[in-house]
Amino acid sequence: MLLVPRKNILVPKKMFFTKGVGTTSIEKSEIISDLLKKKKVPHAVLNARFHEQEATIVSQAGAPGAITIATNMAGRGTDIKLGGNVEMRVKTELAAIADPTLHAAKEAEIRAEVGRAHDAVMASGGLLVVGTERHESRRIDNQLRGRSGRQGDPGGSRFFLSLEDDLMRIFGSDRMGGMLQRLGLKEGEAIVHPWINKALEKAQKKVEARNFDTRKNVLKYDDVMNAQRKEVYAQRREFMRADDVAETVAEMRSEIIHSMVSRRVPEKAFSEQWQLADLAEDLRRILGMDLPVEEWGREEGIDETHLRERIETAADSMMAAKAANLGPELMRYIEKSLLLQVLDAVWKEHLLALDHLRQGIGLRAYGQRDPLNEYKSEAFALFNAMLDELKERVTMMLSRVELAPPEPAEPDFSRTIENHPEPEPIMAEYGAGGTALLSAAPARAALADPNDPSTWSQTPRNAACPCGSGTKYKHCHGRL
């Protein structure tokens, strides 16, 4: 392992014809790209920002003199072949030639050129992978090394490190910097020592162990949500398979009524402590019913059980009347649709609440409490609150559902067909001469008998109404 200060990176003595530079972040790859641009060195940058050109860049990374700067380069879906990728060049360059008769000659030329380039790269040592620093994970370093020497081709890799790198600064040995300074090393001098490799390996193991603990901790939190997810999805599938959810909806309504009565009329409490006005307001808000709850509460010998039974009887009667008005089939369809829609809505809100809880639950550790146990208890309470919200919303929406008449359709004047009949046939209907048209209206008015209202429909709209009111027929009995 070669260790040098960051501002004076050394170049290996053996020059390779094709080079790949590996960085740990996009920002650092752009910094190196800017340095190469100032030196006017042609290169290609592969940092997942140019998806369309990514395959082309990787396929030609093995061409003679090619320099490729990559960030976490693993796989990329295209193999690096020394000399360049023949298939990619053929596909790209033949697409630009319009004459098909020239394709065969051009393909042969490309294959010969790539063959010569392959021999030149092989003779110069193959592909050299240069790492600007070591990654936090050894797996990524090995993936970067694996870009060279693939399929028996020659190649090499070299990593350059500094004590100022994040990996060495945070996770490396604190005594190493002082020890190297006491050895009297000069600025820019390369250091090769087994202690460096050992310290680096320990640092990477620390990072991998920390990342493993983080992933394991995240999985524990996700298991809590996953258990709730399975329960909700199983319940939703049960609702979807059921042909009739009337019994489920009735149980929800009964539980909501029981909860309201228990909250406003506590068990074993004196009648003076009953909150009957608030109970009546809850019934109006959720069930949409005005019940004489306060009068029932003043009756002799009534308790919370009788009060709850009266409310349930009134609610069941209201829903039965609503089902009879809407029709049993339509009511069953409405119940199932509303139940599924409300379940989806409250589940999405619950997931958002769990996400917010997860972000701040780590602060419970300052109070000497386990954040995971706190998250489990809080998530369980939120899940129960979600179920209560589901029952209340379904009951509230079903108690207010009504069948509205269809709205009249707006007239579509764009499709109106104008019809202007010729005057000759109309005149011929009344005889020759234009005066026949003028006499048509009085003739129709004569057909209306003032004593027979069934004949008044024959009256022209602008004629006097046969009833003798003195107004036009369209303003009297002919009004629309």
Side-chain angles (χ1 to χ4, degrees):
M1 184 58 58
L2 185 64
L3 181 68
V4 297
R6 170 65 56 229
K7 55 187 177 181
N8 189 15
I9 296 180
L10 299 181
V11 180
K13 296 180 179 179
K14 183 179 179 180
M15 297 302 296
F16 287 74
F17 206 19
T18 304
K19 298 182 180 64
V21 182
T23 63
T24 58
S25 64
I26 295 177
E27 293 79 9
K28 293 179 181 179
S29 67
E30 292 179 348
I31 292 174
I32 297 177
S33 177
D34 293 339
L35 294 176
L36 293 179
K37 287 179 182 178
K38 292 180 180 179
K39 299 292 183 178
K40 297 182 180 180
V41 177
H43 63 281
V45 181
L46 191 67
N47 53 16
R49 287 192 174 184
F50 307 100
H51 300 284
E52 296 80 3
Q53 298 87 358
E54 186 170 295
T56 304
I57 294 174
V58 176
S59 65
Q60 301 306 319
I67 298 178
T68 307
I69 303 174
T71 302
N72 290 354
M73 188 175 185
R76 298 289 187 180
T78 306
D79 199 14
I80 295 179
K81 296 182 179 180
L82 300 184
N85 192 312
V86 179
E87 289 74 14
M88 182 67 71
R89 284 196 56 183
V90 169
K91 179 181 177 181
T92 305
E93 298 186 19
L94 292 187
I97 300 177
D99 190 358
T101 59
L102 302 177
H103 286 185
K106 184 62 176 178
E107 182 177 354
E109 180 183 350
I110 294 174
R111 292 186 180 277
E113 181 181 348
V114 172
R116 292 191 297 270
H118 177 269
D119 297 337
V121 175
M122 291 279 288
S124 64
L127 176 66
L128 171 65
V129 173
V130 179
T132 59
E133 58 183 291
R134 291 289 289 270
H135 293 77
E136 293 184 352
S137 174
R138 289 170 292 178
R139 176 182 58 85
I140 302 179
D141 286 341
N142 293 333
Q143 289 173 346
L144 189 59
R145 289 192 185 99
R147 306 310 297 189
S148 65
R150 297 173 67 87
Q151 302 178 1
D153 292 335
S157 61
R158 183 68 60 86
F159 285 81
F160 296 91
L161 304 179
S162 170
L163 293 178
E164 300 173 1
D165 291 341
D166 295 337
L167 182 65
M168 298 298 295
R169 180 174 51 85
I170 300 175
F171 299 97
S173 177
D174 298 334
R175 297 176 299 174
M176 185 181 299
M179 179 188 65
L180 295 178
Q181 291 178 358
R182 287 193 298 270
L183 292 177
L185 296 176
K186 299 180 180 179
E187 183 75 16
E189 184 177 355
I191 309 166
V192 180
H193 199 279
W195 290 352
I196 306 298
N197 294 336
K198 185 178 296 186
L200 184 62
E201 185 177 356
K202 289 183 179 180
Q204 288 182 320
K205 286 183 178 180
K206 289 181 181 179
V207 176
E208 292 172 359
R210 186 196 64 171
N211 294 339
F212 176 77
D213 292 337
T214 302
R215 291 193 301 269
K216 186 171 64 174
N217 194 38
V218 170
L219 182 61
K220 292 179 180 178
Y221 283 95
D222 189 67
D223 287 341
V224 178
M225 184 185 298
N226 190 44
Q228 298 183 2
R229 184 187 299 114
K230 290 180 179 179
E231 184 67 25
V232 170
Y233 285 2
Q235 188 68 60
R236 192 179 193 279
R237 283 192 294 268
E238 183 178 346
F239 290 156
M240 293 180 66
R241 295 192 187 104
D243 298 330
D244 186 357
V245 294
E247 184 177 352
T248 302
V249 171
E251 291 178 359
M252 290 183 177
R253 183 169 61 251
S254 176
E255 292 178 6
I256 288 297
I257 294 175
H258 186 277
S259 175
M260 285 190 297
V261 174
S262 300
R263 185 170 60 253
R264 301 302 183 185
V265 184
E267 187 178 0
K268 297 181 180 180
F270 295 104
S271 58
E272 292 81 5
Q273 297 175 333
W274 292 359
Q275 302 173 2
L276 298 178
D278 296 335
L279 178 59
E281 180 62 28
D282 292 341
L283 293 174
R284 282 191 292 268
R285 178 177 59 87
I286 297 178
L287 298 177
M289 301 174 61
D290 287 323
L291 298 178
V293 178
E294 299 185 29
E295 297 179 5
W296 294 347
R298 288 192 293 267
E299 295 180 3
E300 186 69 26
I302 193 171
D303 57 1
E304 65 276 1
T305 303
H306 294 85
L307 188 63
R308 182 174 63 252
E309 291 177 353
R310 288 188 182 183
I311 296 175
E312 289 182 357
T313 302
D316 294 341
S317 301
M318 179 193 67
M319 297 306 298
K322 191 181 295 292
N325 184 30
L326 297 177
E329 295 183 0
L330 180 59
M331 191 63 186
R332 302 289 86 82
Y333 173 77
I334 292 175
E335 289 173 347
K336 186 174 182 179
S337 299
L338 283 178
L339 184 59
L340 291 174
Q341 292 177 14
V342 175
L343 178 60
D344 294 342
V346 297
W347 173 242
K348 289 189 290 187
E349 295 172 2
H350 178 67
L351 290 179
L352 183 61
L354 288 181
D355 188 32
H356 291 165
L357 176 64
R358 173 69 182 87
Q359 293 178 2
I361 200 67
L363 299 176
R364 303 288 179 92
Y366 291 104
Q368 303 300 321
R369 288 182 291 179
D370 185 9
L372 181 60
N373 293 333
E374 293 291 319
Y375 180 78
K376 289 180 180 179
S377 60
E378 294 282 349
F380 182 74
L382 288 176
F383 187 76
N384 291 333
M386 181 199 72
L387 296 180
D388 295 338
E389 182 70 16
L390 170 66
K391 299 172 185 177
E392 182 174 328
R393 288 193 192 181
V394 170
T395 303
M396 182 185 301
M397 297 177 71
L398 286 177
S399 63
R400 286 170 169 77
V401 65
E402 296 290 343
L403 184 61
E407 298 182 359
E410 294 291 335
D412 189 2
F413 296 104
S414 62
R415 302 185 62 182
T416 303
I417 301 176
E418 296 185 5
N419 187 10
H420 300 284
E422 295 295 331
E424 289 80 4
I426 298 178
M427 292 182 181
E429 182 180 354
Y430 300 100
T435 56
L437 278 175
L438 300 177
S439 60
R444 291 177 60 193
L447 297 177
D449 185 2
N451 298 323
D452 187 5
S454 61
T455 62
W456 291 358
S457 60
Q458 302 293 332
T459 307
R461 290 179 54 78
N462 289 321
C465 186
C467 69
S469 61
T471 59
K472 293 183 178 181
Y473 176 72
K474 66 179 179 181
H475 296 313
C476 190
H477 285 80
R479 183 184 305 170
L480 296 178

